[in-house]
Amino acid sequence: MTNTRILGNEIDPVTLEVVRNKLDSIADEMQLTLLRSSFSPIVKEGLDASASLFTLEGETISQSCSIPIHLATLIPAVGAMLEAYPLNDMRPGDAFVLNDPYCGGTHLPDLAVMMPVFHDGRPVALSAAMTHHGDVGGMAPGSVPTNATEIYQEGLRIPPLKLMDEGRYNDTFVRLARQNVRLPDEFMGDLNAQIAACTVGARRLSELAARHGDNALKAMFASLIERSELMTREALAAIPAGTYRYVDFLDNDGIELDQPVRIEVAVSIADGWFDVDFTGSSAQVRGPFNCVRSGVQAAAYYAVHALTDPMIPTNAGCFRPVRFTLPEGSVVNPREPAPVNSRTSTIKRITTTIIGALGEALPERVPAPSAGQLLVLAFGGVNQHGRRFVSGELIAGGSGAFADGDGVDVIETDASNCMNLPVEALEMEAPLRVLRSHLTPNSGGPGQHRGGLGLTREYEVLADELTLTYRGERHFSAARGLAGGGDGARAAGIVTRADGGVEEIPSKTVTRLRRGDRLLVRTAGGAGWGDPARRDADAAREDIAGGKVSAN
């Protein structure tokens, strides 16, 4: 064993940088293990899972290249598990699990798993992974019912529990979970993948401790966190001090379909602090678009990292300068048992408001608003072979244009980072036929720089009957143009019944589809930047030639 020597408070900077990169590679190896080992298409194709490493105090030391929402919401999840199960009582091979939003989780489909890391019988760190499970029970297949009015309808709630005891599964938990989900084998397959990812992280960290010594490794963790905090505060100090405001809206809460949901933020920057105050936002809503504190933290941490310097190593130091004012009983801090399964839509709108607020302070850095939409489709029922299925889609819209370039077509932005399913993968998993899938012409906001385009996709139902959950956004409020640019196109969802009847989806719905019915979805476009009259003539001709913009 080669122990790293620390002289006084000094750590060799070369060694420190090598260790930092090693930690990042461990987190990314965990992520690859998670994706390659999972059973459900939403993970292995949609990439809806994340991995991270933590200090024994529950502070992030490294994150995989994955989903900002997961990576931030793992922080309170790990904290809740540490509070419920003292570190001194943990043993090698132990693992813990939770998903309850009111006990440190985010929404019920996202299960957090944590495993302590040991070296020579002493704990040195924590390894954790979060996966969006395709179904955790509840009133609708996929466990994201947009018409839920209390959390009890959304699925199985798991407080901090011991999942594995020295390498042996908690059989009581396994039997209880399998009894309450629609696809128990898939559920356990994804849970096993989380255990595998955490095991990889624990093994690699243990090897790192053997090389450097556990005390030196912990000292390096602290040094890396302090360095990122210093760099973040310096970057914040470069932003003009002041208070900046922005307001945006969700279409509705899934229950009161004619009532928009207000998200209002005041961002104050001074003395290296980043304060976000959501006073003025809507009270908590009846539907599942409420967002617990962990989701708001995810949006703010992402915004700070994007607005400062993305090259700052991401760890707990980046988050220390961020402070929150979240009115109790509001849509950004609901009281139990408010439903929360659709909180991603709210997180994305929160991110839009935080970044939009800084447009005044950073006009050359802040882009026009993106679609800010992750269209979630969940299909569930019994297929033509008599087997139960649950499958879903995650479809993005366009990003906003920049001061120096066009937006990107159909790309995840804000705090999410998933992929839509390939057509072939979806058709293998569910009794559906994808009839068409293409960019939506004219959906990007016009401007000197054009907003990114949304996607059009149409499905035909091949089963006798299935349940569709449609969680849309931007049906009624478009991404607003910046610096004279035009708004992005709004989203739409249309069901054409086999008998010819046509029904427009009011942003959110849970409905039945039958054989021969068709579902057409169009995601929103990103906003444009700058006066459209100043658009480069060659760029305009390329848009027309490529079918992105109509000639007339």
Side-chain angles (χ1 to χ4, degrees), residues 111-183:
L111 268 66
V113 171
M114 180 195 78
M115 181 179 289
V117 180
F118 288 84
H119 172 63
D120 285 345
R122 298 184 298 273
V124 294
L126 304 166
S127 177
M130 181 173 282
T131 287
H132 180 108
H133 285 253
D135 185 88
V136 292
M139 65 190 292
S143 309
V144 286
T146 59
N147 57 349
T149 56
E150 54 183 5
I151 196 169
Y152 308 113
Q153 299 167 323
E154 298 182 331
L156 179 66
R157 295 175 69 183
I158 306 169
L161 291 178
K162 197 167 192 179
L163 177 62
M164 300 191 78
D165 187 358
E166 296 186 76
R168 296 184 299 274
Y169 258 119
N170 177 346
D171 185 58
T172 301
F173 169 80
V174 171
R175 287 188 287 118
L176 177 67
R178 290 184 64 94
Q179 192 75 6
N180 281 275
V181 303
R182 292 176 175 85
L183 301 177

Coordinates of all heavy atoms in Angstrom, one line a residue, residues 111-183:
L111 N -36.1 5.7 -7.1 CA -35.6 5.0 -5.9 C -34.1 5.4 -5.7 O -33.3 5.2 -6.7 CB -35.8 3.5 -6.0 CG -37.0 2.9 -5.4 CD1 -38.3 3.4 -6.2 CD2 -36.9 1.4 -5.3
A112 N -33.8 5.8 -4.5 CA -32.4 6.1 -4.2 C -31.8 4.9 -3.4 O -32.4 4.4 -2.5 CB -32.2 7.3 -3.4
V113 N -30.6 4.4 -3.8 CA -29.9 3.3 -3.1 C -28.6 3.8 -2.7 O -27.9 4.5 -3.5 CB -29.8 2.1 -4.0 CG1 -28.9 1.0 -3.3 CG2 -31.1 1.5 -4.3
M114 N -28.2 3.6 -1.4 CA -26.9 4.0 -0.9 C -26.2 2.9 -0.3 O -26.8 2.0 0.4 CB -27.1 5.1 0.2 CG -25.9 5.7 0.8 SD -26.2 6.6 2.3 CE -26.4 5.3 3.5
M115 N -24.9 2.8 -0.5 CA -24.0 1.8 0.1 C -22.8 2.4 0.7 O -22.1 3.2 0.1 CB -23.6 0.8 -1.0 CG -22.7 -0.4 -0.6 SD -22.3 -1.4 -2.0 CE -23.9 -2.2 -2.3
P116 N -22.5 2.0 2.0 CA -21.3 2.5 2.6 C -20.0 1.8 2.0 O -20.1 0.7 1.6 CB -21.5 2.2 4.1 CG -22.4 1.0 4.1 CD -23.3 1.2 2.9
V117 N -18.9 2.6 2.0 CA -17.7 2.1 1.4 C -16.7 1.9 2.6 O -16.5 2.8 3.4 CB -17.1 3.1 0.4 CG1 -15.8 2.5 -0.2 CG2 -18.1 3.3 -0.7
F118 N -16.1 0.7 2.7 CA -15.1 0.4 3.8 C -13.7 0.2 3.3 O -13.5 -0.3 2.1 CB -15.6 -0.8 4.5 CG -16.9 -0.5 5.4 CD1 -18.1 -0.6 4.8 CD2 -16.8 -0.2 6.7 CE1 -19.3 -0.3 5.6 CE2 -17.9 0.0 7.5 CZ -19.1 0.0 6.9
H119 N -12.8 0.5 4.1 CA -11.4 0.1 3.9 C -10.8 -0.3 5.2 O -10.8 0.4 6.2 CB -10.6 1.3 3.3 CG -9.1 1.0 3.2 ND1 -8.6 0.0 2.4 CD2 -8.0 1.6 3.9 CE1 -7.3 0.0 2.6 NE2 -6.9 0.9 3.4
D120 N -10.2 -1.5 5.3 CA -9.7 -2.1 6.5 C -10.7 -2.0 7.7 O -10.3 -1.6 8.8 CB -8.4 -1.3 6.9 CG -7.2 -1.8 6.0 OD1 -7.3 -2.8 5.3 OD2 -6.2 -1.0 6.0
G121 N -12.0 -2.2 7.3 CA -13.0 -2.2 8.3 C -13.5 -0.9 8.8 O -14.4 -0.8 9.7
R122 N -13.0 0.2 8.2 CA -13.4 1.5 8.5 C -14.2 2.2 7.3 O -13.7 2.0 6.2 CB -12.2 2.4 8.9 CG -11.4 1.9 10.1 CD -10.3 2.9 10.4 NE -9.4 3.1 9.4 CZ -8.3 2.3 9.2 NH1 -8.1 1.3 10.0 NH2 -7.5 2.5 8.2
P123 N -15.3 2.9 7.6 CA -16.0 3.5 6.5 C -15.2 4.7 6.0 O -14.6 5.5 6.8 CB -17.3 4.0 7.2 CG -17.0 4.1 8.6 CD -15.9 3.1 8.9
V124 N -15.2 4.9 4.7 CA -14.4 6.0 4.1 C -15.3 6.9 3.2 O -14.9 8.1 3.0 CB -13.2 5.5 3.3 CG1 -12.2 4.8 4.2 CG2 -13.7 4.5 2.2
A125 N -16.4 6.4 2.7 CA -17.2 7.2 1.8 C -18.5 6.5 1.6 O -18.8 5.4 2.2 CB -16.5 7.4 0.4
L126 N -19.4 7.0 0.7 CA -20.7 6.5 0.4 C -20.8 6.4 -1.1 O -20.4 7.3 -1.9 CB -21.8 7.3 1.0 CG -21.7 7.5 2.5 CD1 -22.7 8.6 2.9 CD2 -22.1 6.3 3.2
S127 N -21.5 5.4 -1.6 CA -21.7 5.2 -3.0 C -23.2 5.1 -3.2 O -24.0 4.5 -2.4 CB -21.1 3.8 -3.5 OG -21.4 3.5 -4.8
A128 N -23.8 5.9 -4.2 CA -25.2 6.0 -4.3 C -25.7 6.0 -5.8 O -24.9 6.5 -6.6 CB -25.7 7.2 -3.6
A129 N -26.9 5.5 -6.0 CA -27.5 5.5 -7.4 C -29.0 5.8 -7.3 O -29.6 5.3 -6.3 CB -27.2 4.2 -8.1
M130 N -29.5 6.5 -8.3 CA -30.9 6.7 -8.3 C -31.4 6.3 -9.7 O -30.8 6.6 -10.7 CB -31.2 8.2 -8.1 CG -32.7 8.5 -8.2 SD -33.1 10.3 -7.7 CE -33.0 10.2 -5.9
T131 N -32.5 5.6 -9.7 CA -33.1 5.1 -11.0 C -34.6 5.4 -11.0 O -35.3 5.2 -10.0 CB -32.9 3.6 -11.1 OG1 -31.5 3.3 -11.4 CG2 -33.8 3.0 -12.2
H132 N -35.1 5.9 -12.2 CA -36.5 6.0 -12.4 C -37.0 4.6 -12.7 O -36.7 4.1 -13.8 CB -36.8 7.0 -13.5 CG -38.3 7.2 -13.7 ND1 -38.9 8.4 -13.4 CD2 -39.2 6.4 -14.3 CE1 -40.2 8.2 -13.7 NE2 -40.4 7.0 -14.3
H133 N -37.8 4.0 -11.9 CA -38.4 2.7 -12.1 C -39.7 2.9 -13.0 O -40.5 3.8 -12.7 CB -38.7 2.0 -10.8 CG -37.5 1.5 -10.1 ND1 -37.1 0.2 -10.1 CD2 -36.5 2.2 -9.5 CE1 -36.0 0.0 -9.5 NE2 -35.5 1.2 -9.1
G134 N -39.8 2.0 -13.9 CA -40.9 2.1 -14.9 C -42.3 2.0 -14.2 O -43.3 2.6 -14.8
D135 N -42.4 1.4 -13.1 CA -43.7 1.3 -12.4 C -43.4 1.0 -10.9 O -42.6 0.1 -10.6 CB -44.6 0.2 -13.0 CG -46.0 0.3 -12.3 OD1 -46.8 1.0 -12.8 OD2 -46.2 -0.5 -11.3
V136 N -44.1 1.8 -10.0 CA -44.0 1.5 -8.6 C -45.4 1.4 -8.0 O -45.7 1.8 -6.8 CB -43.1 2.6 -7.8 CG1 -41.7 2.4 -8.2 CG2 -43.7 4.0 -8.1
G137 N -46.4 1.0 -8.8 CA -47.7 0.8 -8.4 C -48.5 2.1 -8.5 O -48.2 3.0 -9.4
G138 N -49.6 2.3 -7.8 CA -50.4 3.5 -7.8 C -51.6 3.3 -8.8 O -51.8 2.2 -9.4
M139 N -52.3 4.4 -9.1 CA -53.5 4.3 -9.8 C -53.4 4.2 -11.3 O -54.4 4.0 -12.0 CB -54.4 5.6 -9.5 CG -53.8 6.9 -9.9 SD -54.6 8.4 -9.3 CE -56.2 8.3 -10.1
A140 N -52.2 4.4 -11.9 CA -52.0 4.3 -13.3 C -50.7 3.7 -13.7 O -49.7 3.8 -13.0 CB -52.1 5.7 -13.9
P141 N -50.7 2.9 -14.8 CA -49.4 2.2 -15.2 C -48.4 3.3 -15.4 O -48.6 4.3 -16.0 CB -49.8 1.5 -16.5 CG -51.3 1.3 -16.4 CD -51.8 2.5 -15.6
G142 N -47.2 3.0 -14.9 CA -46.1 4.0 -15.0 C -45.9 4.9 -13.8 O -44.9 5.6 -13.6
S143 N -47.0 4.9 -13.0 CA -46.9 5.6 -11.7 C -46.7 7.1 -11.8 O -46.1 7.8 -10.9 CB -45.8 5.0 -10.8 OG -46.0 3.6 -10.7
V144 N -47.2 7.7 -12.9 CA -47.1 9.2 -13.0 C -48.5 9.7 -13.4 O -48.6 10.5 -14.4 CB -46.0 9.6 -14.1 CG1 -44.6 9.5 -13.5 CG2 -46.2 8.8 -15.4
P145 N -49.5 9.4 -12.7 CA -50.9 9.9 -13.0 C -51.0 11.4 -12.9 O -50.8 11.9 -11.8 CB -51.7 9.1 -12.0 CG -50.9 8.9 -10.8 CD -49.5 8.6 -11.4
T146 N -51.4 12.0 -13.9 CA -51.5 13.5 -13.9 C -52.8 13.9 -13.2 O -52.9 15.1 -12.9 CB -51.5 14.1 -15.3 OG1 -52.6 13.5 -16.1 CG2 -50.2 13.8 -16.0
N147 N -53.6 13.0 -12.8 CA -54.9 13.3 -12.1 C -54.9 12.9 -10.7 O -55.9 12.9 -10.0 CB -56.1 12.7 -12.8 CG -56.0 11.2 -13.0 OD1 -54.9 10.6 -12.7 ND2 -57.0 10.5 -13.4
A148 N -53.7 12.6 -10.1 CA -53.6 12.3 -8.7 C -53.8 13.5 -7.9 O -53.4 14.6 -8.2 CB -52.2 11.7 -8.4
T149 N -54.5 13.3 -6.8 CA -54.8 14.4 -5.8 C -54.2 14.2 -4.5 O -54.3 15.1 -3.6 CB -56.3 14.7 -5.7 OG1 -56.9 13.4 -5.3 CG2 -56.9 15.1 -7.0
E150 N -53.5 13.1 -4.2 CA -52.8 12.9 -3.0 C -51.7 11.8 -3.3 O -51.8 11.0 -4.2 CB -53.7 12.4 -1.9 CG -54.5 11.2 -2.1 CD -55.5 10.9 -1.0 OE1 -55.5 11.7 0.0 OE2 -56.1 9.9 -1.0
I151 N -50.6 11.8 -2.5 CA -49.5 11.0 -2.8 C -49.8 9.5 -2.7 O -49.2 8.7 -3.4 CB -48.3 11.4 -1.9 CG1 -47.0 10.8 -2.5 CG2 -48.5 10.9 -0.5 CD1 -45.8 11.3 -1.9
Y152 N -50.8 9.2 -1.9 CA -51.2 7.7 -1.8 C -51.6 7.1 -3.1 O -51.6 5.9 -3.2 CB -52.3 7.6 -0.7 CG -52.0 8.3 0.6 CD1 -52.7 9.4 1.0 CD2 -50.9 7.9 1.4 CE1 -52.4 10.1 2.1 CE2 -50.6 8.5 2.6 CZ -51.4 9.6 2.9 OH -51.1 10.3 4.1
Q153 N -52.0 7.9 -4.1 CA -52.5 7.4 -5.4 C -51.3 7.1 -6.3 O -51.5 6.6 -7.4 CB -53.4 8.4 -6.0 CG -54.7 8.6 -5.2 CD -55.5 9.8 -5.7 OE1 -54.9 10.8 -6.1 NE2 -56.8 9.7 -5.7
E154 N -50.1 7.6 -5.9 CA -49.0 7.6 -6.9 C -48.1 6.3 -6.8 O -47.3 6.1 -7.7 CB -48.1 8.8 -6.6 CG -48.9 10.1 -6.8 CD -48.1 11.4 -6.6 OE1 -47.1 11.4 -5.8 OE2 -48.4 12.4 -7.3
G155 N -48.3 5.5 -5.8 CA -47.5 4.3 -5.8 C -47.0 3.9 -4.4 O -47.4 4.5 -3.4
L156 N -46.0 3.0 -4.3 CA -45.5 2.5 -3.1 C -44.5 3.5 -2.5 O -43.5 3.9 -3.1 CB -44.7 1.2 -3.4 CG -44.1 0.5 -2.2 CD1 -45.1 0.0 -1.2 CD2 -43.2 -0.7 -2.7
R157 N -44.8 3.9 -1.2 CA -43.9 4.9 -0.5 C -42.9 4.1 0.3 O -43.3 3.3 1.1 CB -44.7 5.8 0.3 CG -45.6 6.8 -0.4 CD -46.5 7.6 0.5 NE -45.7 8.6 1.3 CZ -46.3 9.4 2.2 NH1 -47.5 9.3 2.5 NH2 -45.5 10.2 2.8
I158 N -41.7 4.4 0.1 CA -40.6 3.7 0.9 C -39.8 4.7 1.7 O -39.1 5.6 1.2 CB -39.6 3.0 -0.1 CG1 -40.4 2.1 -1.1 CG2 -38.6 2.2 0.7 CD1 -39.6 1.6 -2.2
P159 N -40.0 4.7 3.0 CA -39.1 5.5 3.9 C -37.7 4.9 3.9 O -37.5 3.9 3.3 CB -39.8 5.4 5.3 CG -40.4 4.0 5.2 CD -40.9 3.8 3.8
P160 N -36.8 5.6 4.6 CA -35.4 5.0 4.6 C -35.5 3.6 5.2 O -36.0 3.4 6.3 CB -34.6 6.0 5.5 CG -35.4 7.3 5.4 CD -36.8 6.9 5.2
L161 N -35.1 2.6 4.4 CA -35.1 1.2 4.9 C -33.8 0.5 4.6 O -33.1 0.9 3.6 CB -36.2 0.4 4.2 CG -37.7 0.8 4.5 CD1 -38.6 -0.1 3.6 CD2 -37.9 0.5 6.0
K162 N -33.5 -0.5 5.3 CA -32.3 -1.3 5.0 C -32.6 -2.3 3.9 O -33.5 -3.2 4.1 CB -31.8 -2.0 6.3 CG -30.4 -2.6 6.2 CD -29.9 -3.0 7.5 CE -28.4 -3.2 7.5 NZ -27.8 -3.6 8.8
L163 N -32.0 -2.2 2.8 CA -32.2 -3.0 1.6 C -31.4 -4.3 1.7 O -31.9 -5.4 1.3 CB -31.9 -2.2 0.4 CG -32.1 -3.0 -1.0 CD1 -33.5 -3.4 -1.2 CD2 -31.6 -2.1 -2.1
M164 N -30.2 -4.2 2.1 CA -29.3 -5.4 2.2 C -28.5 -5.3 3.5 O -28.1 -4.3 4.0 CB -28.3 -5.4 1.0 CG -28.9 -5.4 -0.3 SD -27.7 -5.8 -1.7 CE -27.5 -7.6 -1.4
D165 N -28.4 -6.5 4.1 CA -27.7 -6.7 5.4 C -26.5 -7.6 5.2 O -26.7 -8.8 5.0 CB -28.7 -7.3 6.4 CG -28.1 -7.3 7.8 OD1 -26.9 -6.9 8.0 OD2 -28.8 -7.7 8.8
E166 N -25.3 -6.9 5.1 CA -24.1 -7.6 4.9 C -24.2 -8.5 3.7 O -23.8 -9.7 3.7 CB -23.7 -8.4 6.1 CG -23.4 -7.5 7.3 CD -22.8 -8.2 8.5 OE1 -21.6 -8.6 8.4 OE2 -23.5 -8.4 9.5
G167 N -24.8 -8.0 2.6 CA -24.8 -8.7 1.3 C -26.1 -9.5 1.1 O -26.3 -10.1 0.0
R168 N -27.0 -9.6 2.1 CA -28.2 -10.4 1.9 C -29.4 -9.4 1.8 O -29.6 -8.5 2.6 CB -28.4 -11.3 3.1 CG -27.3 -12.4 3.3 CD -27.6 -13.3 4.4 NE -27.7 -12.6 5.7 CZ -26.7 -12.3 6.4 NH1 -25.5 -12.7 6.1 NH2 -26.8 -11.7 7.6
Y169 N -30.2 -9.7 0.8 CA -31.4 -8.8 0.6 C -32.4 -8.9 1.8 O -32.5 -10.0 2.4 CB -32.2 -9.3 -0.7 CG -31.9 -8.4 -1.9 CD1 -31.4 -8.9 -3.0 CD2 -32.3 -7.1 -1.9 CE1 -31.2 -8.2 -4.1 CE2 -32.1 -6.3 -3.0 CZ -31.5 -6.8 -4.1 OH -31.3 -6.0 -5.2
N170 N -33.0 -7.8 2.1 CA -34.1 -7.8 3.0 C -35.3 -8.4 2.4 O -36.0 -7.8 1.6 CB -34.4 -6.3 3.4 CG -35.6 -6.1 4.3 OD1 -36.4 -7.1 4.5 ND2 -35.7 -5.0 4.9
D171 N -35.6 -9.7 2.7 CA -36.6 -10.4 2.0 C -38.0 -9.9 2.2 O -38.8 -9.9 1.3 CB -36.5 -11.9 2.5 CG -37.5 -12.8 1.7 OD1 -37.4 -12.8 0.4 OD2 -38.4 -13.4 2.3
T172 N -38.2 -9.3 3.4 CA -39.5 -8.7 3.7 C -39.8 -7.5 2.7 O -40.9 -7.4 2.2 CB -39.6 -8.2 5.1 OG1 -39.4 -9.3 6.0 CG2 -40.9 -7.5 5.4
F173 N -38.8 -6.7 2.5 CA -38.9 -5.6 1.6 C -39.2 -6.1 0.2 O -40.1 -5.6 -0.5 CB -37.7 -4.7 1.6 CG -37.7 -3.7 0.5 CD1 -38.4 -2.5 0.6 CD2 -37.0 -3.9 -0.7 CE1 -38.4 -1.6 -0.5 CE2 -37.0 -3.0 -1.7 CZ -37.7 -1.8 -1.6
V174 N -38.4 -7.1 -0.2 CA -38.5 -7.6 -1.6 C -39.9 -8.1 -1.9 O -40.6 -7.8 -2.9 CB -37.5 -8.7 -1.9 CG1 -37.8 -9.4 -3.2 CG2 -36.1 -8.0 -1.9
R175 N -40.5 -8.9 -0.9 CA -41.8 -9.5 -1.1 C -42.9 -8.4 -1.1 O -43.8 -8.4 -1.9 CB -42.1 -10.5 0.0 CG -41.3 -11.8 -0.2 CD -41.7 -12.9 0.8 NE -41.2 -12.6 2.1 CZ -41.9 -12.5 3.2 NH1 -43.3 -12.5 3.1 NH2 -41.4 -12.3 4.4
L176 N -42.7 -7.4 -0.3 CA -43.7 -6.3 -0.2 C -43.6 -5.5 -1.5 O -44.7 -5.2 -2.1 CB -43.4 -5.4 1.0 CG -44.2 -4.1 1.1 CD1 -45.7 -4.5 1.4 CD2 -43.7 -3.2 2.2
A177 N -42.4 -5.2 -2.0 CA -42.3 -4.4 -3.2 C -42.9 -5.2 -4.4 O -43.6 -4.6 -5.2 CB -40.9 -4.0 -3.5
R178 N -42.5 -6.4 -4.6 CA -43.0 -7.2 -5.7 C -44.5 -7.3 -5.7 O -45.2 -7.3 -6.8 CB -42.4 -8.6 -5.7 CG -40.9 -8.7 -6.0 CD -40.4 -10.1 -6.0 NE -41.1 -10.9 -7.1 CZ -40.5 -11.0 -8.3 NH1 -39.3 -10.5 -8.6 NH2 -41.2 -11.7 -9.2
Q179 N -45.1 -7.3 -4.6 CA -46.6 -7.4 -4.5 C -47.3 -6.1 -4.9 O -48.5 -6.1 -5.2 CB -47.0 -7.8 -3.0 CG -48.4 -8.2 -2.8 CD -48.7 -9.6 -3.3 OE1 -47.7 -10.3 -3.7 NE2 -49.9 -10.0 -3.3
N180 N -46.6 -5.0 -4.9 CA -47.2 -3.7 -5.1 C -46.8 -3.0 -6.5 O -47.3 -1.9 -6.7 CB -46.9 -2.7 -4.0 CG -47.7 -3.0 -2.8 OD1 -48.8 -2.6 -2.6 ND2 -47.2 -3.9 -1.9
V181 N -46.1 -3.7 -7.3 CA -45.7 -3.1 -8.6 C -46.2 -4.0 -9.7 O -46.5 -5.2 -9.5 CB -44.2 -2.9 -8.7 CG1 -43.7 -2.0 -7.6 CG2 -43.5 -4.2 -8.8
R182 N -46.4 -3.4 -10.9 CA -47.1 -4.1 -12.0 C -46.1 -5.0 -12.7 O -46.5 -6.0 -13.3 CB -47.6 -3.1 -13.0 CG -48.8 -2.3 -12.5 CD -49.3 -1.3 -13.4 NE -50.6 -0.6 -13.0 CZ -50.6 0.4 -12.1 NH1 -49.5 0.9 -11.7 NH2 -51.7 0.9 -11.7
L183 N -44.8 -4.7 -12.7 CA -43.8 -5.5 -13.4 C -42.7 -5.9 -12.4 O -41.6 -5.3 -12.4 CB -43.2 -4.8 -14.6 CG -44.2 -4.4 -15.7 CD1 -43.5 -3.6 -16.7 CD2 -44.9 -5.6 -16.3

